[in-house]
Amino acid sequence: MANIHFSLAGEGRGHAARARTLVDELRSKHSVTIHTFGDAYSFLSPLYAGTDVGVEEIPGLRFRYDRRGRVDYVRSAAANVSILAQIAKTERRLAERLQRESVDLVLTDFEPALPRAARRAGIPAVSVDHQSVLAYADLSELPFSLRRHAAFLGAFVKRWTPKPSRRVISSFYRPRLRPGVENVRFVGVLLREAVRRVEPTVGEHIVAYVRHGTPDRALDVLAAGPMPVHVYGRGWFAPRGSLVPCEVSETGFLQDLASSFAVVTTAGNQLVGEAIHLTKPVLALPEPGNREQEINAWFLDRSGAGRALGFDRFDASALESFLDDVPRLRGRCRALDVDGTAATLEIIDAAMKGAIDAKSTRAAPASLTAEA
């Protein structure tokens, strides 16, 4: 049994969903402790309460949004100045703990404190995230404006996340690696067992996963649509038109997704990948100003498994056109293999075996090491 510590960013649903998949696969054989914050902490903490998996809260960066629902990078930076100092203190505290508890391997999903602590403590780290696509993928086929944003964000990703022993990029699309990039592997999205096991059916409702920053006008379009829209991510609100408010729950959301006609969502990598796996065409509405989501949306449109629109172009005719095209798009979903779970676990197992073997060699008496 190995001792594994796992840190992840707390914004949105994707990081927590990836972590859930990996933790549930690893916990039967290994000791796992999770470090996170924000949405991910709120989701994972009650999920593992009273189990052998520890979930601990750490400081982390959070986005701020303007009145139009756009990511406000200036306000986000200002609001997070004090957090950076806390992250530095957390790094030092975690480094001492990793050594004290003789941790074998660190896993991280776009969170900087724990992998930096692992580097201080001389412990190998495996990065499993989506954001690294911006730093290590060949994105030359993107339109110029998106390539420019990807270059800027990719530089931030490289500085924010220290170089791990191995890097896994989880993505529903898989571009080529940049020339000269090593120890990086593209895999599909990580799908927990319940998602891999469920049998999808074609229902008569739409699943919409939106954030609090989603413009009200987009909800107005869905409310006037031709079929029920089960809305997740906005909390409770008074039902109106076709809109049915739904509370996020593991089993409830999955059953709703698996039995839906199609999906309308922001362009987060994880949910788009899950929808494609379940043969649900996606109409992606990237968060205004969120360049990573704009890139995801561009690749979704290119894949043929869905469509991408800016909120300013989303109206009744766009929704109707998408719904009319769903049967054709569903066929493309069936042709795509987006499951990267097994490949990721193989990489983690290999890293863990190497870490444990190296630790055994360091701990062995000199005479035994020489004989070996």
Side-chain angles (χ1 to χ4, degrees):
M1 173 181 284
N3 186 0
I4 302 171
H5 280 231
F6 189 170
S7 71
L8 59 143
E11 285 277 330
R13 176 179 178 275
H15 303 284
R18 279 193 293 271
R20 175 75 195 282
T21 298
L22 293 177
V23 170
D24 284 354
E25 293 287 344
L26 295 169
R27 60 183 293 199
S28 63
K29 297 180 180 178
H30 309 288
S31 170
V32 181
T33 301
I34 300 171
H35 307 268
T36 189
F37 58 93
D39 297 336
Y41 180 79
S42 299
F43 173 70
L44 295 172
S45 181
L47 197 63
Y48 291 114
T51 73
D52 55 349
V53 176
V55 182
E56 302 180 7
E57 190 169 19
I58 58 174
L61 300 187
R62 305 188 190 192
F63 287 120
R64 298 293 186 270
Y65 298 85
D66 63 22
R67 292 181 179 179
R68 294 179 295 170
R70 300 174 65 91
V71 177
D72 188 327
Y73 288 100
V74 174
R75 285 183 59 215
S76 297
N80 286 303
V81 169
S82 62
I83 298 295
L84 294 175
Q86 294 179 43
I87 289 174
K89 292 180 181 178
T90 301
E91 173 191 334
R92 293 190 291 271
R93 175 176 59 80
L94 288 175
E96 295 172 358
R97 180 174 175 182
L98 295 179
Q99 289 181 319
R100 184 173 65 251
E101 297 185 5
S102 192
V103 170
D104 297 294
L105 184 70
V106 157
L107 302 178
T108 183
D109 185 340
F110 203 59
E111 190 287 317
L114 186 66
R116 292 179 189 276
R119 186 169 60 184
R120 280 181 176 234
I123 295 169
V126 177
S127 167
V128 183
D129 65 29
H130 174 67
Q131 284 74 18
S132 292
V133 71
L134 299 167
Y136 301 98
D138 179 355
L139 300 176
S140 57
E141 59 184 320
L142 288 174
F144 173 74
S145 62
L146 287 182
R147 287 204 311 273
R148 182 164 52 87
H149 288 301
F152 172 78
L153 294 172
F156 169 78
V157 168
K158 282 186 175 181
R159 290 187 63 85
W160 184 245
T161 55
K163 186 176 180 181
S165 307
R166 307 185 190 198
R167 188 181 298 276
V168 179
I169 303 177
S170 171
S171 176
F172 73 87
Y173 60 93
R174 302 180 210 180
R176 298 182 302 272
L177 286 172
R178 289 182 177 179
V181 171
E182 298 179 347
N183 293 325
V184 178
R185 181 174 169 185
F186 274 105
V187 300
V189 293
L190 305 187
L191 303 173
R192 56 193 171 92
E193 184 180 359
V195 177
R196 301 196 301 268
R197 188 176 60 239
V198 71
E199 288 293 334
T201 58
V202 179
E204 297 182 353
H205 67 275
I206 298 168
V207 162
Y209 183 85
V210 295
R211 299 287 294 277
H212 290 286
T214 300
D216 289 337
R217 192 177 70 83
L219 294 177
D220 293 340
V221 172
L222 293 172
M227 61 177 60
V229 181
H230 296 184
V231 181
Y232 291 86
R234 287 287 289 239
W236 178 256
F237 59 88
R240 60 186 176 92
S242 297
L243 301 184
V244 181
C246 300
E247 293 293 334
V248 175
S249 71
E250 267 202 300
T251 55
F253 179 77
L254 176 56
Q255 291 169 0
D256 220 3
L257 180 63
S259 63
S260 66
F261 181 75
V263 175
V264 177
T265 181
T266 52
N269 170 70
Q270 183 68 27
L271 181 53
V272 170
E274 290 177 3
I276 293 173
H277 175 77
L278 295 172
T279 66
K280 307 300 175 183
V282 177
L283 177 58
L285 307 172
E287 293 179 350
N290 188 322
R291 305 306 182 187
E292 179 193 336
Q293 287 201 7
E294 290 177 12
I295 293 169
N296 292 345
W298 189 89
F299 277 104
L300 170 67
D301 203 72
R302 182 73 171 261
S303 75
R307 292 188 182 180
L309 285 174
F311 279 113
D312 58 337
R313 296 170 52 207
F314 181 51
D315 55 20
S317 62
L319 178 61
E320 180 181 1
S321 175
F322 167 69
L323 295 177
D324 287 344
D325 202 26
V326 161
R328 184 187 67 84
L329 298 172
R330 188 178 294 122
R332 180 57 180 161
C333 289
R334 293 192 183 98
L336 296 176
D337 178 13
V338 295
D339 186 359
T341 312
T344 303
L345 289 170
E346 288 176 4
I347 294 168
I348 292 173
D349 284 345
M352 196 152 32
K353 183 179 184 303
I356 292 173
D357 288 348
K359 181 185 287 187
S360 299
T361 300
R362 289 195 302 270
S367 59
L368 295 180
T369 305
E371 290 176 7

